[in-house]
Amino acid sequence: MKHAIASSLVAASIALVVPGMAAAGWTRTYVVEWNEPAMYYGAKSGVIDPGTDCPAGTNPEVDWVKVLVAAGYTEEEAKWLRNPANPTRSPVHGQNQMAFRGKDRANVYVNPTSTPDAGLVGVSGTIAEGIDLDGNAHTGLTSPTGEQGIDNKFYETLGCWKTYRGPPRLSSGALQFNDSMRNGAWTTLIVVTGKGSDPLNDKHVAVGFYLSNDKMVKDGNGAIARDYTFRIKPHAKYEAVFAARTVNGAIVSTKPADVMLRDPSYTQDLELLRARVNLQMQPDGSLKGYVGGYRPWEPVYRGWVNARGPVIEVLTWVQLPAVYYALRRNADFSPGGRKGEKTHISYAMRVEALPAFVITPDATAQVAAVMSYKVQAPQEEERRGAGTFRVVDGIVIDPKMTVQAGPNAVILPSTYQK
Amino acid sequence: MSLRFDRRSLLKGMLGGSAVYLGLPALDVFLDGNGTAFADGAPLPLRFGTYFWGLGLTDTPTGGTRWVPTTTGPGYEVTPELASLAALKDKVSVFSGFRAIGDGKANLVHWSGHASILSGIAPASPNRFDGASFDTRIADAIGTATRFKAIDVDASISRLPVSYSTRTGNTFATPETTPLALYTRLFGPGFQDPNSPDWKPDPSIMLRQSVLSAVTDERQSLMRNVGKADQVKLDQYFTSVREMETQLAVQLQRPGKCEACVVPGAPKDAPRASSVDVVNANTRTMAKLLAMALACNQTRVFNVVHTAGASETYLAGQSKIYHQITHDEPTDARLGYQPETSKLAALVMQALGDFLTELDAVKEGDGTLLDHSLVMAFSDTGYAKIHSIENIPMFLAGRAGGRHKAGQHIVGKGESVTRVSLTAMQLAGAPVGEFGTGTMKTARPISEVMT
């Protein structure tokens, strides 16, 4: 059935060439079955073990009683706040009072500089995955294959954080978001076209990233099935078009582009300035590689905060204000020029895609060109809050609770017994 | 003198101007000489229950598992997290490799899995199902001749009562959340001891019955004077009234004696802390009460929640709850799994083992209560760390009166969880030929476990 549909669309595409657009010499189309931040794992086993990237291993679990005491709570109060028997501690939304540990009990999620930088240990190794974004081999780290100048400050900053650390496809963050994507939360397509006759070596190549409303299909083993058909959904925001060339099957950008992709994260928006691709066509027909660029770092921080600050902190072993300080400290790009404020940080996303049939938004033909569909996109729908709950200033407030968190909250109940 | 009633008979009568039809319980007089079946050879009444626990069992991202037996079919090995079922494994079938399939709907964490299992529909939004839970269909089929059509129990000691039994998808049953509340409901005022020599109908029930019947008397005149939409509403309302009448009428009839029925003493409530030892003790106490309620023919259908999807339970003395540990604990490189998570999973499963043991401890006929029951136990998730809805652990326990070829391990290979649900419905005697929607729609029960 799926092949029959695709075959008929191939025939249709011959007759339906977009006016004013040169037909491609070749086209290859894919569906992204896995994407994650490119975080090189320097250990030989496990997901938290010491390695060349993080010699002390993944950053350890935080002693929250100690943190709360340092923030001005008594030890008794701190222990009560962390006690599962405390009825103000929601099993789903964490302990809201943890937000109020800044100066004068300010909310550290919305005011991270109200607390001192606890220091987030970053990567100290010399190897990184990604792309040489600035064309300078003397800046950045070295790729696992020896390429110099890999720019990935995002990795250097957050690479020892548990949520990001681990071998490919095994970090907890990658597992979480890719499971969601593979279960239908979103679908990203890649279209690659060239004007030449040899797809593996072509000087004029275009690469497009698009969304689709069609969901990926899993086989009996839970793996994403190949060769299904997906229709492009024009999207006002999530779309990326790159000019590139191919060299021995490697698709490499020929000039940078400013793009927006669907991010496998709470942030959802992956805005990349001066973005580039480096993707390798595989012998089995799949596609693997990187998309990189400079992404604004503050939305990354806010994404974690809005996913419920206390939950993220406790589950992923990090103090979010320390993440804020670390991203700000390591940001390496200013859209306004070299002397401008560093609002962006170099970043790379690891992408793995399977061959798929991709058809035009009107479903009349198989795509034969890389182009922008933004003009066809409906007005962007208002985005719902993170998940199924409303987060305000990093916490979920239950108005029914008799005790509400805040700067002036009474911590120990009157019935509290030592 | 031959009895003019048999087990299929309905008691008929007029009450407050309305005809009342009343099904009959499994009276001794209807049984054969050995007490193993009815006189006409039909089996003893079947009980059905669901048992839910939160956070699944332990898988690993690389395909390892702490619960899936390596062998299939009968005589499966007892894996570490199934240790509590070892003594009963010949009465428990294990189902692995089944998944909830959303057909593009997002995975609503700690919700989509069991909503799919129970309603057959991947839910579109949290906190509601998009259809009735299938236990209600079984209750409609086998639960009409007892005092309670179904009993709902929540042993989790959560902040809010937890139930996943629903007829509308919007509102869920109100469970008993403490042993004392369950005891009071089952054996407190209104309880008709089937073995008591001085049984008398409860006047308060007679009064309520009269009131309900009076409402029914006026039904037709009211129906004539309202619009079509209101007629539909009234029809639904009066249907529920009639169901209530039928249930109340049971309490106006002298019940048959039940050999296994022993009225227990009132239990003490557990402390209001949801540590796993307390929740497990709570579950066991409530299991004893429920077992007697089944033996005393107070109900034939029950739903038990051990812990909610986003479980609040924890190890006493620890600051982290189980839910948190499933997410934050890294996989141990040497062991290949999350050790603390697996330890807690085994503790949670201990409660299921204890629950089934309580049913199995009640002798009934030539077997046990568990032999005449079918308990479908399941969770909300597979690999809890990522909220996976694949490989959700599911079990069918009890021989279902001989219908269930128990003691097998069935591997689903990615098939829909609804196949197990349909199997449970058919084993429990619900007249259901297919279940689920979209990709989860199935008309294929798992025949390997059906006699």
Side-chain angles (χ1 to χ4, degrees):
Chain A
M1 176 69 179
K2 61 186 179 181
H3 293 292
I5 292 171
S7 300
S8 65
L9 291 169
V10 170
S13 68
I14 295 169
L16 292 168
V17 177
V18 178
M21 179 175 292
W26 55 271
T27 302
R28 291 197 175 178
T29 51
Y30 307 87
V31 61
V32 174
E33 60 97 15
W34 195 274
N35 50 183
E36 61 184 325
M39 312 297 253
Y40 173 75
Y41 184 63
K44 291 180 179 172
S45 62
V47 290
I48 61 169
D49 297 3
T52 57
D53 54 338
C54 308
T58 296
N59 290 340
E61 190 164 10
V62 177
D63 183 339
W64 291 106
V65 170
K66 198 172 169 184
V67 169
L68 289 164
V69 168
Y73 293 91
T74 67
E75 188 164 337
E76 210 168 34
E77 288 174 329
K79 285 180 176 174
W80 174 241
L81 288 172
R82 299 303 308 148
N83 189 338
N86 179 349
T88 71
R89 182 179 159 181
S90 161
V92 179
H93 302 309
Q95 171 53 267
N96 282 350
Q97 193 62 34
M98 282 177 61
F100 301 96
R101 59 178 199 267
K103 188 171 185 292
D104 299 325
R105 293 204 175 168
N107 182 330
V108 296
Y109 302 136
V110 292
N111 188 4
T113 56
S114 66
T115 186
D117 182 3
L120 181 70
V121 176
V123 168
S124 57
T126 58
I127 300 173
E129 295 182 41
I131 297 173
D132 180 359
L133 295 173
D134 60 5
N136 184 348
H138 300 292
T139 61
L141 302 180
T142 303
S143 80
T145 56
E147 183 187 355
Q148 304 285 310
I150 301 298
D151 298 305
N152 195 345
K153 280 287 183 185
F154 186 89
Y155 162 65
E156 292 183 57
T157 306
L158 305 180
C160 297
W161 181 2
K162 180 166 72 84
T163 198
Y164 287 112
R165 192 159 183 260
R169 303 173 78 111
L170 285 179
S171 72
S172 59
L175 284 166
Q176 176 186 346
F177 292 111
N178 280 278
D179 191 66
S180 175
M181 177 185 76
R182 292 154 73 93
N183 276 324
W186 78 94
T187 302
T188 299
L189 309 174
I190 301 176
V191 177
V192 186
T193 62
K195 293 181 178 176
S197 56
D198 178 8
L200 301 183
N201 294 283
D202 191 329
K203 290 181 180 177
H204 302 287
V205 172
V207 182
F209 285 71
Y210 308 103
L211 286 192
S212 174
N213 274 347
D214 299 320
K215 312 304 179 187
M216 285 181 271
V217 175
K218 290 183 180 179
D219 62 21
N221 295 319
I224 299 300
R226 292 169 167 238
D227 299 329
Y228 270 82
T229 301
F230 300 87
R231 181 160 59 146
I232 290 173
K233 178 201 174 191
H235 198 280
K237 190 159 65 169
Y238 300 131
E239 181 186 274
V241 174
F242 297 91
R245 60 188 163 89
T246 56
V247 180
N248 296 326
I251 305 166
V252 183
S253 287
T254 50
K255 62 179 182 181
D258 295 346
V259 302
M260 179 82 88
L261 295 170
R262 174 62 166 83
D263 197 30
S265 76
Y266 288 116
T267 312
Q268 297 195 8
D269 291 353
L270 176 52
E271 180 190 353
L272 291 174
L273 301 184
R274 301 198 180 182
R276 293 177 174 275
V277 295
N278 188 344
L279 302 160
Q280 180 70 47
M281 297 178 191
Q282 302 295 312
D284 66 356
S286 64
L287 187 70
K288 293 182 180 177
Y290 306 101
V291 183
Y294 296 97
R295 69 181 300 176
W297 61 265
E298 207 159 346
V300 174
Y301 169 75
R302 283 202 305 272
W304 290 111
V305 163
N306 290 331
R308 296 166 299 166
V311 174
I312 296 304
E313 289 191 308
V314 169
L315 290 186
T316 70
W317 302 358
V318 75
Q319 293 188 58
L320 282 174
V323 172
Y324 177 91
Y325 280 114
L327 286 168
R328 190 176 72 173
R329 186 167 57 244
N330 291 317
D332 58 348
F333 181 75
S334 168
R338 195 170 293 175
K339 292 183 180 177
E341 184 186 359
K342 299 283 195 296
T343 54
H344 289 59
I345 190 166
S346 51
Y347 173 84
M349 180 162 73
R350 197 186 284 138
V351 175
E352 297 184 31
L354 293 172
F357 295 103
V358 175
I359 59 176
T360 53
D362 59 5
T364 57
Q366 224 176 324
V367 292
V370 170
M371 57 183 283
S372 175
Y373 293 98
K374 283 188 176 180
V375 292
Q376 301 179 35
Q379 195 170 3
E380 194 184 340
E381 294 171 9
E382 189 180 348
R383 194 174 136 191
R384 291 173 55 201
T388 57
F389 34 82
R390 185 163 174 264
V391 180
V392 178
D393 295 341
I395 56 179
V396 177
I397 297 167
D398 179 357
K400 295 177 187 167
M401 293 290 284
T402 52
V403 177
Q404 295 289 348
N408 301 315
V410 175
I411 306 303
L412 296 175
S414 56
T415 55
Y416 181 81
Q417 293 178 331
K418 287 183 182 178
Chain B
M1 187 177 74
S2 64
L3 191 67
R4 68 184 177 90
F5 295 106
D6 62 24
R7 67 184 182 85
R8 293 188 182 84
S9 297
L10 294 173
L11 297 180
K12 301 170 186 173
M14 300 296 290
L15 189 69
S18 295
V20 174
Y21 298 92
L22 176 65
L24 294 174
L27 305 177
D28 287 348
V29 71
F30 300 150
L31 300 181
D32 67 7
N34 298 322
T36 56
F38 286 105
D40 62 1
L44 284 164
L46 178 63
R47 287 77 164 200
F48 174 79
T50 64
Y51 180 103
F52 177 88
W53 80 96
L55 303 175
L57 294 175
T58 313
D59 285 342
T60 76
T62 52
T65 177
R66 292 280 287 167
W67 71 275
V68 178
T70 53
T71 58
T72 59
Y76 58 83
E77 65 168 324
V78 176
T79 48
E81 291 180 8
L82 303 190
S84 69
L85 305 177
L88 293 169
K89 76 170 211 170
D90 289 342
K91 298 184 180 184
V92 179
S93 290
V94 180
F95 299 85
S96 67
F98 290 87
R99 61 175 164 147
I101 305 169
D103 286 335
K105 289 180 189 165
N107 176 7
L108 305 171
V109 299
H110 301 299
W111 192 254
S112 291
H114 55 296
S116 299
I117 291 168
L118 283 166
S119 71
I121 310 170
S125 55
N127 302 322
R128 57 162 294 168
F129 291 177
D130 289 355
S133 58
F134 76 79
D135 57 283
T136 60
R137 297 168 80 167
I138 295 175
D140 288 342
I142 69 172
T144 55
T146 52
R147 183 172 165 226
F148 301 108
K149 198 167 191 177
I151 289 289
D152 294 89
V153 169
D154 169 20
S156 68
I157 320 180
S158 300
R159 280 147 229 249
L160 296 172
V162 183
S163 169
Y164 301 122
S165 177
T166 176
R167 288 185 177 273
T168 63
N170 290 319
T171 55
F172 292 83
T174 302
E176 303 302 336
T177 59
T178 70
L180 189 57
L182 179 61
Y183 175 84
T184 304
R185 183 156 187 224
L186 292 172
F187 304 110
F191 171 66
Q192 313 283 313
D193 185 348
N195 299 329
S196 171
D198 56 350
W199 176 89
K200 291 175 188 170
D202 184 337
S204 66
I205 293 171
M206 296 175 74
L207 180 63
R208 285 162 66 192
Q209 173 111 349
S210 300
V211 171
L212 290 171
S213 298
V215 173
T216 308
D217 277 344
E218 296 172 357
R219 175 173 58 91
Q220 288 184 339
S221 63
L222 182 59
M223 291 282 268
R224 280 194 295 270
N225 291 293
V226 296
K228 193 167 181 66
D230 279 340
Q231 284 180 356
V232 172
K233 288 178 186 172
L234 281 171
D235 188 55
Q236 290 174 341
Y237 170 69
F238 287 129
T239 298
S240 67
V241 169
R242 176 53 54 88
E243 285 186 354
M244 177 63 79
E245 274 191 342
T246 306
Q247 301 296 129
L248 290 174
V250 172
Q251 297 175 63
L252 295 172
Q253 306 298 318
R254 183 177 190 99
K257 292 188 176 181
C258 300
E259 61 160 328
C261 176
V262 179
V263 182
K268 290 180 181 175
D269 270 351
R272 294 298 293 170
S274 59
S275 57
V276 68
D277 55 331
V278 175
V279 172
N280 281 3
N282 206 33
T283 305
R284 185 147 204 170
T285 304
M286 294 169 106
K288 288 177 191 288
L289 295 171
L290 204 47
M292 273 306 123
L294 296 167
C296 297
N297 217 19
Q298 301 297 290
T299 188
R300 288 182 189 164
V301 178
F302 62 86
N303 298 292
V304 173
V305 170
H306 170 267
T307 36
S311 174
E312 300 181 20
T313 199
Y314 58 91
L315 271 176
Q318 285 202 353
S319 66
K320 286 198 225 176
I321 64 173
Y322 179 25
H323 181 194
Q324 177 189 335
I325 292 169
T326 63
H327 290 304
D328 87 342
E329 184 183 27
T331 299
D332 184 287
R334 185 176 57 81
L335 297 172
Y337 60 89
Q338 296 168 286
E340 275 297 305
T341 300
S342 185
K343 178 182 172 183
L344 274 151
L347 284 170
V348 166
M349 286 300 284
Q350 184 62 49
L352 175 60
D354 291 348
F355 182 88
L356 298 176
T357 299
E358 291 297 339
L359 299 193
D360 204 45
V362 178
K363 301 299 176 194
E364 190 176 66
D366 65 343
T368 70
L369 182 60
L370 184 60
D371 292 330
H372 299 118
S373 302
L374 184 74
V375 181
M376 180 163 152
F378 57 95
S379 193
D380 59 321
T381 185
Y383 181 36
K385 187 178 183 72
I386 58 167
H387 300 122
S388 173
I389 48 176
E390 297 180 3
N391 198 29
I392 299 177
M394 304 171 80
F395 304 90
L396 288 178
R399 297 192 196 281
R403 298 177 190 177
H404 176 206
K405 282 164 64 177
Q408 301 190 63
H409 171 214
I410 305 295
V411 180
K413 295 180 180 172
E415 293 195 75
S416 169
V417 289
T418 47
R419 285 197 68 202
V420 183
S421 308
L422 179 63
T423 306
M425 279 188 273
Q426 295 192 353
L427 287 174
V432 178
E434 65 179 28
F435 183 61
T437 61
T439 307
M440 290 201 291
K441 184 174 182 176
T442 182
R444 290 191 306 128
I446 299 163
S447 57
E448 294 97 312
V449 299
M450 304 172 85
T451 55

